[in-house]
Amino acid sequence: MFGLLRNGRNLARLVRISLALARHDALFPLDRVAGAAPFLRVTRLLRRRSGAASRPGERLAAAFTEMGPSFIKLGQILSTRADLLGDEITEDLALLQDRLPPFPGAEARALIEGEFGRPVASLFASFDDTPVAAASIAQVHFAVTTDGHEVAVKVLRPGIARAVARDLDLFLWLARLTERTQPGLRRLKPVEVVEILAQSVQLEMDLRFEAAAASELAENFAGDPSFRVPRVDWQRTGRTVLTTERIAGNPGRRPGGAGRRRAPDRCAVAQRGRGVFKQVFRDGFFHADLHPGNMFVEAEGALAVVDFGIMGRLDRQTRYYLADMLIGFLSGDYRRVAEVHFDAGYVPRRRSIDAFTQACRSIGEPILGRPLHEISIARLLAQLFHVTEEFEMETQPQLLLLQKTMVLVEGVGRRLDPEVNIWSLARPLVEQWMRDNRGPEARFAPAHRRRRRGIGRAARGCCAISTS
């Protein structure tokens, strides 16, 4: 009985989603959904003719924004899947902004009082009712605590948990339906992809988890003056409220007007590249939402990050795979790239390693033959996914957040200094990390020293423009 009710509820929601997509002339993602054809024939009659001139990705991004928080998150994940939607659409989705109109400051005050069972005045000497940022899950207010500390207070949107749970149930229902009815799409692991999205979003629904993520990231960078994480005020943090110290700095955008160049730009690019490298390879725990609004350059030059709702984790074997693959591509060793994929089990042994090597060369040569500052590792990964169907390579859902992070960081780096490639700055660090963790000296070094030793040595020997 429950299954029938769930099916009916989700079919009704699918109709409403189809109507929203139709209004933006963005129904094309549903073309491959089993059973959707009857809805598509009707709803396509309702599409907006005014949207015909815009690009499909722009129309889809507008539809996702209209449909709310979970669809914005889905769009951001889909922005990494050029193999499914093509380059132009994913590039437009990568620009999808997680912004919504704010809810009233009085409502935020009421939510804070409900969380702590105390008047706002007993927690904050002053509280700015006008939010400084409003996203799909929460909004942020500046305040001063009763003991005089300037803080940022993040408050969950009212009713957001219920709305997100409803959307995630629909996504999972559609993913399971796809796997049952479309055998050719099973290698894309839609259920596992949705489950990873669900885990990420559900963690955002409890701000204590975000506080814990900030604390862990800060611990990983303890003693590193080039990368800073705001302190968590645990006494003013709960399930629906997160309070951290206020960060003062310039947003992670290119300073100055068009065409201007300022010396700190290149240093900032280097810091981003190395900061991401340390998170991904050294720690296996990384900030997965590094858009410009979440990064600030402080007066002393340190890179400060905020908003820890979306974090990624990679186990050591996956990090080895990534390092081998990146070094193989950057050095033009396509045989090594192919062997990495076969050894990891990502490509079945029954496929030809020689043919896969040739495919890797066809991906790498057009990209890596360009000037160094034009090389995009995120685009390289996207092109790699294009050949996955031919070689029966399964999707690796654990890498989706990392690819999203690469796209964001590359975009920020190019805005800061278009002539610097962020990954070329990090390459020596990756190579040193591989030597320390897989080379002969790794077998003799104590385990507790291996984790940190290579980072400091590589950073000292690489590009003096950064303090990391």
Side-chain angles (χ1 to χ4, degrees), residues 13 329 425 457:
R13 290 214 64 215
F329 266 121
L425 298 175
R457 185 164 63 235

Side-chain angles (χ1 to χ4, degrees), residues 108 111-112 115-116 124 127 138-143 151-156 203-215 229-246 305-310:
L111 290 167
I112 293 170
E115 176 66 45
F116 298 109
F124 304 106
F127 183 88
Q139 65 186 33
V140 178
H141 297 257
F142 285 156
V151 293
V153 184
K154 186 173 186 176
V155 185
L156 279 186
L203 286 176
E204 290 189 81
M205 296 297 103
D206 189 331
L207 295 183
R208 293 170 297 188
F209 291 132
E210 181 173 341
S215 178
V229 178
R231 292 186 303 275
V232 175
D233 184 339
W234 288 99
Q235 301 306 310
R236 295 172 176 83
T237 293
R239 187 181 65 82
T240 61
V241 179
L242 167 62
T243 303
T244 65
E245 69 172 306
R246 180 175 172 179
V305 297
V306 299
D307 192 355
F308 310 94
I310 306 177

Side-chain angles (χ1 to χ4, degrees), residues 132-171:
V132 294
S136 58
I137 300 296
Q139 65 186 33
V140 178
H141 297 257
F142 285 156
V144 178
T145 64
T146 51
D147 48 3
H149 296 295
E150 292 187 340
V151 293
V153 184
K154 186 173 186 176
V155 185
L156 279 186
R157 284 186 175 274
I160 189 64
R162 184 182 306 168
V164 166
R166 184 179 67 246
D167 291 339
L168 291 175
D169 180 70
L170 172 66
F171 295 164

Side-chain angles (χ1 to χ4, degrees), residues 269 272-273 276 287 290-291 295 403-416 422-423:
V269 175
R272 281 157 178 76
V276 171
H287 194 305
L290 286 174
H291 60 73
M295 295 184 286
Q403 190 187 354
K404 172 177 175 280
T405 298
M406 285 182 168
V407 170
L408 290 171
V409 172
E410 280 185 355
V412 172
R414 294 195 195 287
R415 279 192 291 273
L416 288 170
I422 201 166
W423 305 113

Side-chain angles (χ1 to χ4, degrees), residues 202-392:
Q202 285 169 351
L203 286 176
E204 290 189 81
M205 296 297 103
D206 189 331
L207 295 183
R208 293 170 297 188
F209 291 132
E210 181 173 341
S215 178
E216 182 176 350
L217 190 62
E219 183 178 303
N220 289 342
F221 281 85
D224 186 339
S226 69
F227 190 92
R228 203 165 74 77
V229 178
R231 292 186 303 275
V232 175
D233 184 339
W234 288 99
Q235 301 306 310
R236 295 172 176 83
T237 293
R239 187 181 65 82
T240 61
V241 179
L242 167 62
T243 303
T244 65
E245 69 172 306
R246 180 175 172 179
I247 293 294
N250 295 318
R253 298 177 175 87
R254 183 187 175 105
R260 289 184 61 186
R261 174 70 51 77
R262 296 172 66 178
D265 288 358
R266 188 163 297 184
C267 178
V269 175
Q271 284 178 278
R272 281 157 178 76
R274 291 178 188 144
V276 171
F277 158 76
K278 292 175 182 179
Q279 293 174 59
V280 171
F281 289 98
R282 184 189 68 185
D283 307 321
F285 180 65
F286 61 94
H287 194 305
D289 198 18
L290 286 174
H291 60 73
N294 284 343
M295 295 184 286
F296 299 84
V297 180
E298 296 185 310
E300 301 80 10
L303 177 65
V305 297
V306 299
D307 192 355
F308 310 94
I310 306 177
M311 306 294 289
R313 291 190 185 273
L314 298 173
D315 61 30
R316 184 165 289 271
Q317 286 305 119
T318 301
R319 284 179 269 164
Y320 286 159
Y321 155 76
L322 281 171
D324 280 329
M325 184 193 68
L326 289 176
I327 292 173
F329 266 121
L330 290 172
S331 62
D333 188 348
Y334 302 112
R335 183 73 177 195
R336 180 181 185 181
V337 174
E339 289 171 348
V340 166
H341 284 80
F342 277 77
D343 291 344
Y346 294 168
V347 177
R349 290 284 179 183
R350 62 179 174 272
R351 307 300 303 192
S352 166
I353 192 170
D354 293 325
F356 192 70
T357 300
Q358 184 177 351
C360 291
R361 180 180 293 276
S362 74
I363 295 165
E365 290 295 314
I367 295 173
L368 300 177
R370 303 181 69 82
L372 189 62
H373 64 274
E374 295 182 12
I375 292 174
S376 167
I377 295 299
R379 181 173 175 81
L380 187 149
L381 289 178
Q383 293 295 324
L384 180 62
F385 288 150
H386 274 303
V387 305
T388 59
E389 185 170 3
E390 181 180 348
F391 290 91
E392 302 176 75

